[in-house]
Amino acid sequence: HEFRTPLTLIQGPLQDCLQTVHEGKVKEKLEIAHRNVSRLRRLVDSLLDFSKLAANRLEGGWKGRCHIESSV
């Protein structure tokens, strides 16, 4: 949770700026920053979920993108 709060505090003002700024280069940089904050937040959420799984406090399944075929 120590990571989630600062990311939320960054993400909020970025969203506000994106709604008010309409200039090309500035808006483009704000969109990049917002996208990166969103990626970091998803990564932090994944790490927290993994930590809970490792501590046997969360049950779940894996929905991976790879397909492993049986060679039996």
Side-chain angles (χ1 to χ4, degrees):
H1 300 295
E2 293 83 19
F3 294 109
R4 235 186 241 168
T5 300
L7 288 174
T8 302
L9 293 174
I10 294 169
Q11 193 171 29
L14 277 174
Q15 289 172 338
D16 293 343
C17 287
L18 278 170
Q19 292 175 355
T20 58
V21 173
H22 302 290
E23 297 176 28
K25 289 282 185 183
V26 173
K27 186 162 182 88
E28 183 180 322
K29 289 181 187 263
L30 288 171
E31 287 171 344
I32 290 169
H34 186 265
R35 187 170 52 243
N36 289 339
V37 167
S38 296
R39 287 178 182 163
L40 280 172
R41 189 176 177 125
R42 283 193 308 271
L43 178 61
V44 166
D45 288 343
S46 295
L47 289 171
L48 290 172
D49 287 344
F50 181 76
S51 173
K52 289 177 187 176
L53 279 171
N56 292 324
R57 291 185 292 152
L58 178 70
E59 293 181 16
W62 173 258
K63 285 188 174 183
R65 291 185 177 174
C66 63
H67 177 72
I68 301 173
E69 293 185 25
S70 174
S71 58
V72 182

